[in-house]
Each structure stands twice: as structure tokens, then as C-alpha cells.
Amino acid sequence: VQDTPAYVGTRKLDVYRAALEGAAEDGVTTNRERAILAHLAEQLQLTTEEVLQLEDELGAIVPALNRHLMQQSQASRSATAD
């Protein structure tokens, strides 16, 4: 497998998706888990749209995932940018 931009992008989304599933596995997404997910999304250089899409996809299956997760993520990013 070659490290094409499309392949790398897909793998980044796969990594975040797996972390998201793990965080919601017990039906509760804690503030600590939210902070870790926000940091991971930042490190993977995922866009807000990509994060929201994954959360919406998984949120339809796992009720613990919701828009509050993204709001927390954005607040964390804003705090680190200041």
C-alpha cells in the first residue's frame, strides 16, 4: 500500500473513528474522553466537518455521542489557541 494522500486521509479517519467508538463504548462519554478526542482530532489534523460527520454516523448508533462532544472539542481548541 502506498502512502497516497487519499490513503493517509482514510487511515486518519479510521483512527479517530476507533477512538470515538472506544470512548462511547460504555454509553457515557466523559469530559476526559472528550478532551482526548479533541486532542486526537487536532493531532490528526481533521477538519470540524470530518469530526462532525464521524460523530453523526456513530451518534446514530451510539447515543452517548452527540453534538455536545463537538462543542467540547471546539472549546478545547479555542482554549489552546489563546
Side-chain angles (χ1 to χ4, degrees), residues 64-76:
L65 296 175
N66 55 45
R67 292 285 180 185
H68 180 69
L69 182 64
M70 190 58 209
Q71 292 167 352
Q72 183 71 26
S73 173
Q74 289 173 336
S76 295

Side-chain angles (χ1 to χ4, degrees), residues 8 21 49:
V8 172
E21 289 171 351
E49 291 77 23

Side-chain angles (χ1 to χ4, degrees), residues 1-15 44-46:
V1 176
Q2 293 182 344
D3 285 344
T4 63
Y7 175 76
V8 172
T10 298
R11 292 299 298 148
K12 287 179 178 183
L13 293 173
D14 289 344
V15 167
L44 293 172
Q45 299 177 336
L46 298 179

Side-chain angles (χ1 to χ4, degrees), residues 16 36-47 51 73 77:
Y16 189 79
I36 291 169
L37 287 167
H39 182 73
L40 178 60
E42 184 178 329
Q43 293 301 306
L44 293 172
Q45 299 177 336
L46 298 179
T47 65
V51 170
S73 173
R77 287 182 189 173

Side-chain angles (χ1 to χ4, degrees), residues 49-70:
E49 291 77 23
E50 289 169 324
V51 170
L52 284 173
Q53 181 179 353
L54 287 172
E55 290 178 3
D56 286 345
E57 288 172 13
L58 292 176
I61 302 166
V62 182
L65 296 175
N66 55 45
R67 292 285 180 185
H68 180 69
L69 182 64
M70 190 58 209

